[in-house]
Amino acid sequence: MIEIDRESIVPMYVQLASALRERIRRGEIPVGRRIPSQFELEQETGGAVSRRTIKSAIETLQAEGILQGVQGKGVFVIAMPADAPEGDKADS
């Protein structure tokens, strides 16, 4: 189950992208594997997000070079996410 906080100031597509990124990082969805379909992701969020929100989350991860869509096949993991976004790293 993917938890989405509808009351958060963080947009729902960002929350979903973060959840997918974490699943990939933990190896739950390994490189080369297809991610769940939009319908499956909608079910995993308990219907908390629309298909447009799911598409936005996927587009975010595609722009990061983590996911790639294959026409007629689905969306696949093509790379591991970076350890942490630049803004999240503590300065030494």
Side-chain angles (χ1 to χ4, degrees), residues 28-83:
E28 292 177 27
I29 310 172
V31 173
R33 180 80 44 93
R34 181 182 69 84
I35 67 166
S37 69
Q38 288 186 15
F39 176 77
E40 291 167 329
L41 288 170
E42 186 177 14
Q43 297 300 308
E44 285 190 47
T45 63
V49 298
S50 69
R51 296 235 179 145
R52 178 66 217 151
T53 299
I54 293 166
K55 187 173 181 187
S56 293
I58 290 170
E59 288 170 350
T60 297
L61 296 176
Q62 287 176 322
E64 292 175 15
I66 297 169
L67 300 179
Q68 181 177 18
V70 177
Q71 185 68 33
K73 300 280 186 187
V75 180
F76 292 81
V77 178
I78 59 169
M80 289 295 288
D83 287 341

